[in-house]
Amino acid sequence: MNELDQHRYFFDSGIRFQCQRCGACCTGAPGVIRVTDEEAKAIADFLGLPVQEAIDTFLYPWENGHSIREDGDGRCLFYDEGCRIYPVRPRQCRTFPFWTAILRSQTRWDSIRRDCPGIGKGYLYKKCEILDILEGK
Ligand code: SF4
């Protein structure tokens, strides 16, 4: 058991979550979605585009990798009545809402829960599974 496992969290008894694919987290307020080089290549392959063309069209440089462009309303460019790259979406999308910035405070969690209909439904993630996600395992 590592140090994180011994702390008490509001999610000690687990959290049910199953994405309903409503798109609420893909639209609305602007945000950064980190895309690694490997993820950019997977997205390009999935779309049948050369990697550089996919990068130029959908991404912009961010820190050591890229982020996804959004339209003027904060809508992810890959969102069009559903995620167009769902099977190869970046890790940051796959791990929502289990992000450190969200889980570090009950207040932040409660605010995300109001907008995400997937929270409270489906699979019950155990505390240890949530911590694994937070640690990037
Ligand atoms: S807001 Fe929640 S349910 Fe809707 S697409 Fe995002 S993760 Fe899925």
Side-chain angles (χ1 to χ4, degrees):
M1 182 177 283
N2 73 26
E3 199 180 319
L4 281 177
D5 294 332
Q6 295 167 40
H7 284 219
R8 303 197 63 177
Y9 302 94
F10 69 85
F11 53 85
D12 276 358
S13 53
I15 292 173
R16 281 195 189 281
F17 173 70
Q18 181 166 357
C19 179
Q20 306 297 299
R21 299 180 72 165
C22 70
C25 62
C26 320
T27 59
V32 171
I33 295 291
R34 288 175 203 83
V35 181
T36 65
D37 290 348
E38 293 75 26
E39 289 171 335
K41 180 169 185 333
I43 290 168
D45 289 349
F46 184 76
L47 295 174
L49 295 173
V51 176
Q52 196 57 52
E53 185 178 335
I55 289 173
D56 292 344
T57 307
F58 295 106
L59 308 180
Y60 64 91
W62 178 262
E63 295 188 343
N64 295 326
H66 293 87
S67 180
I68 301 174
R69 291 182 194 276
E70 299 169 330
D71 70 11
D73 295 326
R75 173 183 297 257
C76 173
L77 280 199
F78 291 120
Y79 189 81
D80 182 16
E81 296 185 13
C83 176
R84 292 166 51 199
I85 58 163
Y86 196 80
V88 292
R89 66 202 187 285
R91 183 174 195 284
Q92 190 174 332
C93 301
R94 283 188 283 110
T95 56
F96 182 87
F98 301 120
W99 296 353
T100 304
I102 295 174
L103 287 170
R104 74 184 344 152
S105 110
Q106 174 87 60
T107 307
R108 178 83 175 116
W109 175 256
D110 288 343
S111 111
I112 293 294
R113 185 169 56 181
R114 279 193 288 278
D115 293 332
C116 173
I119 294 172
K121 297 197 175 88
Y123 180 75
L124 177 63
Y125 286 81
K126 297 194 239 3
K127 173 185 177 182
C128 59
E129 292 175 290
I130 295 168
L131 291 176
D132 281 351
I133 294 169
L134 291 176
E135 291 179 68
K137 292 179 184 168

